[in-house]
Amino acid sequence: MNSVANAVSEKLSIDELSEYVKYIIGLFCAIAKEDESALDRRRHFLLEMLSNICNCSSFDLKIDSCGSLFENILSICVLLSNFKSNNHIPKQLREFLPGTVELSDTTRERMEDITYKLILHEFHENKYQHSFNVFQKSIQWIETSKHHLPLFKHIEEIKSYLNENSQELFQLIQGKTIQSLPDEKLRLAFQQVFVLSFYDLFVDFNRAKQYLDDLVTCVNNAHTQLVSKKKVKEQSAWIEVLIDILLSMYTKKQHDIRAIIKKIYHQIVPYVNENALKLMLQTISVENESDDEDQSDEEEGEGEEEEEEEEESIDEESEEESMENDDVNEDLRKAVEKALGDAAVKEDQEDDDIEMDDEAMLRLDPLIAEAFRSQMKKSSNLKIINEKLHHQFRVLDLIESVIKKDDRMRFVLISIRPLIETLTSLPNNIAYKTMIERLDSILRHLSSRKIGHADMPTTDTCVELFRYLTSLSGTRTKLTTDTLSKVSMFVIKLCLHVGKQEDRLAGVEETILTMYESGFLRFLQPQPPKEKSEKKKKQKKKKKMKDEGNDDEEEEEEEELSPHQSVVHPSIIKEFLLRFPEYGSRLMLSMVQTTLKENINWKKRNIVCGTLNNFFNRKQLDHIDEKLLKSTINLLVMMCNDSKSSKMESMHIITTLIQKLVLIRNPTLTEKQASALLDGLSTAIKSKPINSDKQRKQLLNLLQSFKKRFSLTINEEVMNMLTKKRKSSSTTTTNQQKKLKIDDSNISNGDVKQPVVDCRQMPFKGIDV
């Protein structure tokens, strides 16, 4: 039906559209015999037809006839949604409205939505005058309360406020203060926000009054700063006040209002400063502070348990978060059973078995009501969470539009930390999964920005952000290691770029290397497992602090790792070596020398060998630091002599790393170093036979290269182990007859119980002829 109605309006001329509007309004006002819900549905459909007329190709607000028709449609919507006419129709609307109309509350709400939809249409045409003229007419309707009874609240307060301030406000909108502003988009943005605040007087008087008062100050400060080129005494700049007003309006539920705000926001993006951006980022983070505290306590307990298993899963570059929701119906059943107590029906019990008198039933009534009430609270909390998330998503859209389109690199740096803090503060709940993914994608986009635009940050600001990212490297957060690695590399690149511009490159390089060196060495050091008694003491201490009402922020800050005590994830070190290989020799030398200590776990030695594999690329093989080469050889010999290094993964890493050392051009391996590597490799091969054909070939090639390059003798036993084909597991198992697992009680009538042999496992010996 909508498509048919739109097709009809497309075929009409401007004069015919006016008659078509009268016809639709006549149908809207007609009294039908149908029930109220059917009448509301019909009127809602007619309102949609009326609003869609403005979208047809022949409707142009630049034409006077179209402008007057638009004002009449908007006036009718404002009149019917906010006033109740006492058998009186305004003169300019009598041509369209045949008489007074009785409307339901739902239809009035729908007309209010259509009002904002029409305003949005005019704003999209970069105009505001028609909506402003309609509001001026509505002031006359407020004054004539005999004919038009207002349906909104605070009528007398609105009257007195408009009587005192309407003339000043109207002059400000159309006067020189706004018209002298240098940017046309900025002028239009101010005028449109004023008009939107006028219409908000009918909905929320106190808030709209605050909007208008702030806008007056905001316009005057903008004129002083942009036109008069003078400093403003107020602490908050005019753009911050304007952004604050828009964010407050952005919380409204009507989609059309939010669309209006979004359009106005895009007009003032070039004027957004750092404090305005911080205000928007703060809006996102504040939303998470009111989440359920019990859930965060549970997450702390889970986080402490996960810390014990960190050594086993440190090789994984990304971590999947487990997000589960409790079943509400199951919780409700348990709550009701608890309320009923002995009166609850068990599984093995029938309804007739329980007899209760009237007094017992009266005692149970409030308990059952409380059980249902608790479940109602849970469902209402979910609604509140969803509303918060939707608002956060919308504000994120605004923030992203600034960060992506603006060339100011300072904005990118300002946004990284608040976005990460918001991401890590989100509860571990499936409801926040989409929000986590969205924040993660924004951070990835920020890390791919090119460096070299205007308005660069200072070196101190960049280094401070790098220290913060380093403190996150070893902690378990919802921020994936891959994303953290990319953001860290972007910040390092920015630090080096800004440090070079400010002649502070040497200090920046030293800071980066020291932080990563100490962080990764701290990862290598063995950590004693925490006892459960210590965890319980900490939890009791936190609860005690909360009960006493003391702030526990200081304690939490002490428990958190400072940048000088943080642990850096190995994958971040690998990424750093790939991006900035010129700083790798010093970092790898300290890592390898620390790994040679006896108290280091073989798994962590394996990680360091893998990091060395990534570091020794073709360019590095042309020239390697001699100290690093010697330390690497000692590490490989130690790994080969360790029985655990004969595992499949470890053996592959050792083989690949030795192959690279053999190919070093400067300095080349000495005969003594090559002999030590060969002896260690032979020991590792002897400790456990190699089952993989691919790995066996790789080891054979490596041994041959030792023989050709250094004329070393290969152990015959080692060669035989690699060249001799091992019998496959399938042939060895077929010679043994496997017995089926059977239950003795299921054996058929025979007295002697003999095991049943699975014929499929017996080898086929042929057929005797």
Side-chain angles (χ1 to χ4, degrees):
M1 289 292 289
N2 284 326
S3 59
V4 174
N6 293 336
V8 170
S9 59
E10 285 289 339
K11 300 294 183 180
L12 300 177
S13 63
I14 298 175
D15 297 332
E16 292 171 336
L17 278 175
S18 179
E19 298 298 324
Y20 186 50
V21 169
K22 294 176 185 178
Y23 175 71
I24 293 173
I25 295 174
L27 292 175
F28 179 86
C29 298
I31 301 173
K33 297 180 180 179
E34 51 198 347
D35 60 347
E36 186 176 351
S37 60
L39 181 62
D40 286 341
R41 287 195 298 271
R42 183 168 66 87
R43 284 177 169 174
H44 294 175
F45 174 71
L46 292 171
L47 287 173
E48 285 294 330
M49 291 178 61
L50 200 62
S51 64
N52 289 334
I53 288 175
C54 301
N55 297 324
C56 65
S57 58
S58 58
F59 194 87
D60 188 1
L61 288 177
K62 295 178 182 178
I63 303 172
D64 293 338
S65 57
C66 287
S68 61
L69 180 60
F70 176 84
E71 281 191 22
N72 289 329
I73 297 173
L74 183 59
S75 299
I76 291 171
C77 291
V78 172
L79 177 65
L80 296 181
S81 59
N82 295 290
F83 298 90
K84 185 176 182 181
S85 301
N86 295 327
N87 296 323
H88 180 80
I89 305 297
K91 291 182 180 180
Q92 64 272 22
L93 300 179
R94 288 174 186 174
E95 183 181 359
F96 294 89
L97 277 176
T100 57
V101 188
E102 292 293 332
L103 301 177
S104 64
D105 293 337
T106 56
T107 303
R108 290 187 189 278
E109 291 177 0
R110 185 60 185 159
M111 292 198 78
E112 184 179 348
D113 295 338
I114 297 298
T115 300
Y116 286 109
K117 194 172 184 179
L118 294 171
I119 294 173
L120 176 62
H121 175 77
E122 185 182 14
F123 284 6
H124 271 303
E125 298 294 326
N126 296 325
K127 294 183 177 298
Y128 75 96
Q129 290 86 357
H130 300 299
S131 301
F132 178 60
N133 294 337
V134 172
F135 176 77
Q136 288 179 311
K137 294 176 185 177
S138 66
I139 296 177
Q140 299 175 3
W141 301 335
I142 294 174
E143 297 296 335
T144 58
S145 55
K146 294 181 180 179
H147 301 302
H148 307 288
L149 180 64
L151 299 175
F152 43 84
K153 300 177 182 179
H154 307 288
I155 302 169
E156 297 301 326
E157 295 176 3
I158 292 173
K159 283 182 180 179
S160 60
Y161 177 77
L162 291 175
N163 288 334
E164 294 175 4
N165 302 288
S166 59
Q167 187 175 358
E168 179 187 353
L169 291 172
F170 296 162
Q171 286 179 355
L172 183 64
I173 292 175
Q174 298 176 326
K176 294 182 179 179
T177 307
I178 291 181
Q179 294 299 328
S180 60
L181 292 174
D183 188 3
E184 183 181 355
K185 291 183 178 180
L186 182 61
R187 295 196 295 268
L188 185 63
F190 274 122
Q191 291 163 341
Q192 290 176 347
V193 176
F194 266 112
V195 171
L196 197 59
S197 302
F198 286 148
Y199 281 91
D200 209 18
L201 288 170
F202 302 147
V203 181
D204 190 345
F205 167 71
N206 293 322
R207 180 178 290 187
K209 179 179 174 294
Q210 187 65 45
Y211 291 159
L212 292 170
D213 293 342
D214 291 341
L215 280 171
V216 171
T217 308
C218 187
V219 169
N220 291 327
N221 289 342
H223 182 271
T224 303
Q225 188 174 350
L226 299 176
V227 180
S228 303
K229 304 294 181 181
K230 297 180 181 178
K231 292 184 178 180
V232 184
K233 294 181 180 180
E234 282 76 3
Q235 293 181 354
S236 299
W238 63 269
I239 186 62
E240 298 167 35
V241 177
L242 185 57
I243 289 291
D244 193 19
I245 294 172
L246 294 179
L247 289 175
S248 179
M249 290 182 172
Y250 209 47
T251 58
K252 293 182 178 295
K253 294 181 179 180
Q254 291 94 330
H255 174 267
D256 295 314
I257 297 179
R258 296 198 302 269
I260 294 171
I261 299 302
K262 193 172 184 178
K263 183 187 180 302
I264 296 172
Y265 172 83
H266 287 300
Q267 294 174 189
I268 61 171
V269 161
Y271 297 94
V272 175
N273 60 9
E274 292 182 25
N275 292 330
L277 181 60
K278 288 178 181 178
L279 180 64
M280 297 166 67
L281 291 166
Q282 186 181 2
T283 304
I284 301 174
S285 59
V286 167
E287 295 287 339
N288 299 316
E289 293 178 0
S290 59
D291 289 332
D292 193 6
E293 294 180 358
D294 296 335
Q295 190 172 8
S296 63
D297 292 338
E298 292 176 4
E299 288 180 4
E300 288 176 7
E302 292 175 1
E304 289 176 354
E305 293 176 3
E306 287 177 350
E307 285 176 4
E308 297 178 354
E309 302 174 357
E310 185 167 359
E311 288 186 4
E312 299 179 3
S313 61
I314 198 71
D315 297 336
E316 301 175 1
E317 293 184 0
S318 61
E319 177 183 351
E320 295 181 358
E321 299 290 338
S322 59
M323 300 179 177
E324 297 179 356
N325 248 350
D326 295 329
D327 189 1
V328 178
N329 294 330
E330 184 65 20
D331 292 344
L332 179 59
R333 183 185 65 79
K334 289 179 180 179
V336 173
E337 281 185 359
K338 185 177 179 181
L340 291 173
D342 297 334
V345 180
K346 308 297 181 184
E347 292 181 359
D348 56 347
Q349 199 173 17
E350 296 182 358
D351 297 349
D352 299 336
D353 296 339
I354 300 173
E355 294 182 1
M356 299 183 67
D357 55 5
D358 294 340
E359 293 181 1
M361 291 295 292
L362 289 173
R363 286 196 301 271
L364 285 177
D365 281 346
L367 297 175
I368 296 172
E370 182 62 29
F372 278 93
R373 199 178 294 116
S374 65
Q375 297 305 312
M376 291 289 289
K377 287 180 181 178
K378 286 186 177 181
S379 61
S380 64
N381 288 338
L382 287 175
K383 290 181 180 178
I384 293 171
I385 289 173
N386 287 330
E387 289 178 1
K388 287 181 179 179
L389 283 174
H390 286 307
H391 179 59
Q392 284 179 319
F393 275 121
R394 291 192 288 267
V395 177
L396 266 179
D397 288 337
L398 302 181
I399 294 171
E400 199 170 4
S401 64
V402 176
I403 298 172
K404 283 186 176 181
K405 296 179 181 179
D406 204 292
D407 292 336
R408 286 173 284 186
M409 191 56 59
R410 195 187 300 270
F411 278 17
V412 177
L413 208 68
I414 290 172
S415 307
I416 289 176
R417 181 164 183 170
L419 290 173
I420 292 176
E421 289 176 347
T422 304
L423 176 60
T424 54
S425 65
L426 290 173
N428 192 15
N429 193 308
I430 196 170
Y432 295 90
K433 184 179 179 182
T434 309
M435 187 67 178
I436 291 171
E437 292 174 353
R438 179 68 185 282
L439 288 167
D440 189 80
S441 67
I442 293 175
L443 287 168
R444 284 172 175 271
H445 174 77
L446 290 180
S447 63
S448 63
R449 287 286 298 267
K450 292 182 179 180
I451 295 176
H453 299 297
D455 195 15
M456 297 294 288
T458 61
T459 304
D460 294 333
T461 307
C462 298
V463 172
E464 183 183 355
L465 180 59
F466 169 72
R467 291 179 184 274
Y468 169 72
L469 294 173
T470 308
S471 67
L472 295 175
S473 300
T475 59
R476 283 182 173 268
T477 62
K478 297 172 188 66
L479 180 67
T480 61
T481 307
D482 184 40
T483 303
L484 178 59
S485 177
K486 289 183 177 180
V487 175
S488 299
M489 296 308 109
F490 169 76
V491 174
I492 290 173
K493 189 177 179 181
L494 189 61
C495 286
L496 296 173
H497 180 82
V498 177
K500 188 176 181 180
Q501 287 182 340
E502 298 181 4
D503 294 331
R504 296 176 60 184
L505 183 59
V508 172
E509 290 174 342
E510 183 65 27
T511 302
I512 294 170
L513 290 174
T514 304
M515 293 291 296
Y516 272 171
E517 184 178 346
S518 59
F520 193 76
L521 295 183
R522 202 167 288 110
F523 160 74
L524 294 175
Q525 295 297 330
Q527 296 179 357
K530 294 181 180 179
E531 296 181 1
K532 293 185 178 180
S533 58
E534 293 180 4
K535 296 177 186 177
K536 290 180 180 179
K537 286 180 182 178
K538 286 183 180 179
Q539 290 177 358
K540 287 181 180 179
K541 197 171 183 181
K542 284 182 181 179
K543 288 181 180 178
K544 188 177 180 182
M545 293 289 289
K546 286 181 181 179
D547 294 338
E548 292 176 358
N550 297 331
D551 296 332
D552 54 348
E553 293 180 0
E554 296 179 0
E555 278 200 355
E556 289 180 359
E557 288 178 0
E558 290 177 2
E559 290 178 5
E560 288 181 359
L561 292 174
S562 66
H564 299 286
Q565 299 175 345
S566 59
V567 178
V568 179
H569 198 280
S571 60
I572 296 178
I573 297 295
K574 290 179 182 179
E575 188 69 22
F576 176 74
L577 295 175
L578 289 174
R579 298 280 189 95
F580 308 98
E582 61 272 19
Y583 304 110
S585 296
R586 170 184 163 179
L587 191 59
M588 292 307 304
L589 179 60
S590 61
M591 288 166 53
V592 175
Q593 288 177 346
T594 306
T595 312
L596 292 173
K597 296 179 181 179
E598 295 181 357
N599 59 345
I600 302 300
N601 192 346
W602 72 273
K603 291 182 179 179
K604 293 184 177 180
R605 286 179 182 154
N606 201 30
I607 291 171
V608 173
C609 288
T611 309
L612 283 167
N613 266 328
N614 292 331
F615 174 66
F616 286 144
N617 51 27
R618 291 183 179 180
K619 292 182 179 179
Q620 295 296 328
L621 292 177
D622 292 335
H623 181 75
I624 293 180
D625 184 66
E626 292 184 6
K627 292 182 180 179
L628 176 60
L629 178 60
K630 291 179 181 178
S631 301
T632 305
I633 292 172
N634 294 333
L635 174 61
L636 285 170
V637 172
M638 182 180 288
M639 289 286 290
C640 291
N641 291 325
D642 191 349
S643 58
K644 294 179 180 178
S645 65
S646 59
K647 290 190 175 183
M648 182 76 175
E649 297 176 358
S650 182
M651 195 64 187
H652 175 71
I653 292 173
I654 292 171
T655 307
T656 307
L657 186 53
I658 293 176
Q659 282 178 336
K660 290 185 176 181
L661 294 183
V662 171
L663 299 174
I664 291 176
R665 300 179 184 87
N666 184 23
T668 57
L669 290 179
T670 62
E671 186 177 348
K672 185 179 179 180
Q673 291 173 336
S675 179
L677 286 174
L678 179 60
D679 293 341
L681 187 62
S682 302
T683 305
I685 295 171
K686 289 178 183 178
S687 63
K688 188 176 181 181
I690 308 299
N691 295 326
S692 171
D693 292 337
K694 184 178 179 180
Q695 193 169 7
R696 194 182 297 114
K697 289 179 182 179
Q698 186 182 16
L699 287 168
L700 282 171
N701 292 332
L702 180 57
L703 293 176
Q704 291 297 330
S705 59
F706 272 110
K707 186 177 180 180
K708 289 180 181 179
R709 285 176 176 266
F710 304 100
S711 301
L712 297 176
T713 305
I714 310 300
N715 193 329
E716 292 183 4
E717 183 183 352
V718 174
M719 291 297 293
N720 291 333
M721 291 181 68
L722 295 176
T723 55
K724 185 179 179 181
K725 293 185 178 180
R726 292 178 52 84
K727 294 181 180 180
S728 61
S729 59
S730 60
T731 57
T732 55
T733 53
T734 52
N735 294 328
Q736 300 176 357
Q737 294 181 358
K738 292 186 177 180
K739 296 180 180 180
L740 289 175
K741 293 182 180 180
I742 59 172
D743 188 3
D744 292 344
S745 60
N746 295 331
I747 295 178
S748 58
N749 298 327
D751 295 332
V752 182
K753 298 180 180 180
Q754 296 181 353
V756 180
V757 179
D758 185 7
C759 298
R760 292 172 295 177
Q761 301 295 335
M762 297 175 64
F764 181 69
K765 298 180 180 180
I767 301 173
D768 293 334
V769 180

